[in-house]
Amino acid sequence: MLSVAVLAGCAQPEPDAPASAPATTSGAGPAAPSVTVTVPAERHRIGDVVVLTVVNGGTVPLYADDLRTDCSPVLLERREGGTWTRYDNCGIERASAVVTWAPGERREIRLDTAGSNFAAPPLLAGVHRIAFGFRRSPTPEGIVTEWVRSSEFRID
């Protein structure tokens, strides 16, 4: 368990992600729930709190695991050329918890880029987006079957 917590502090590339990603769901069939991730500000400074909203606009609950970026259920990603690097950085040494989004539920998430979770690896300036991975079943934990991503924004 400790090795998972230590490895979670590393930024990880996501080679199979598209270079440009509007808020869309991937890996979902025609009955996919309407899930949105929005970041209202188009620009942030390193050290700001990035405020975003995840909405389950569907008719079934969604399940996600926490302990991702800044110990939340979302991932901050930074574009590096044609790939996206994930900030999968949570310094808490505990098992992940399942977070449930009820149908119609809206949650605000705050990523504190000045916090200790962004010390290693440090947050770099550039084009970013938020990725939210979820499933429709509370188990198995750790499995992500669908992704939705926000529009791109800058952190300078």
Side-chain angles (χ1 to χ4, degrees), residues 36-40 51-58 100-109:
T36 58
V37 177
T38 56
V39 180
V51 179
L52 63 117
T53 305
V54 177
V55 177
N56 177 3
T100 303
W101 264 261
E105 186 172 359
R106 170 190 184 96
R107 288 194 185 190
E108 182 180 275
I109 297 172

Side-chain angles (χ1 to χ4, degrees), residues 14 16-29 32-38 53-55 62 77 84 129-134 144-152:
E14 182 192 7
D16 57 347
S20 177
T24 58
T25 304
S26 63
S34 175
V35 179
T36 58
V37 177
T38 56
T53 305
V54 177
V55 177
L62 304 177
E77 299 177 330
W84 290 91
R129 67 183 182 188
I130 300 294
F132 174 60
F134 60 94
V144 174
T145 58
E146 300 175 56
W147 287 93
V148 64
R149 291 175 171 85
S150 72
S151 296
E152 297 172 1

Side-chain angles (χ1 to χ4, degrees), residues 37-119:
V37 177
T38 56
V39 180
E42 293 181 14
R43 285 184 121 34
H44 296 84
R45 293 190 336 202
I46 293 175
D48 286 352
V49 173
V50 177
V51 179
L52 63 117
T53 305
V54 177
V55 177
N56 177 3
T59 58
V60 298
L62 304 177
Y63 304 91
D65 299 308
D66 67 355
L67 300 186
R68 296 190 184 271
T69 301
D70 203 23
C71 303
S72 76
V74 300
L75 282 167
L76 175 67
E77 299 177 330
R78 186 174 66 83
R79 188 171 60 201
E80 294 180 1
T83 63
W84 290 91
T85 298
R86 295 175 169 177
Y87 284 90
D88 205 359
N89 59 347
C90 179
I92 296 176
E93 294 182 21
R94 67 161 169 81
S96 181
V98 176
V99 181
T100 303
W101 264 261
E105 186 172 359
R106 170 190 184 96
R107 288 194 185 190
E108 182 180 275
I109 297 172
R110 302 169 64 81
L111 303 178
D112 182 3
T113 66
S116 62
N117 287 322
F118 284 98

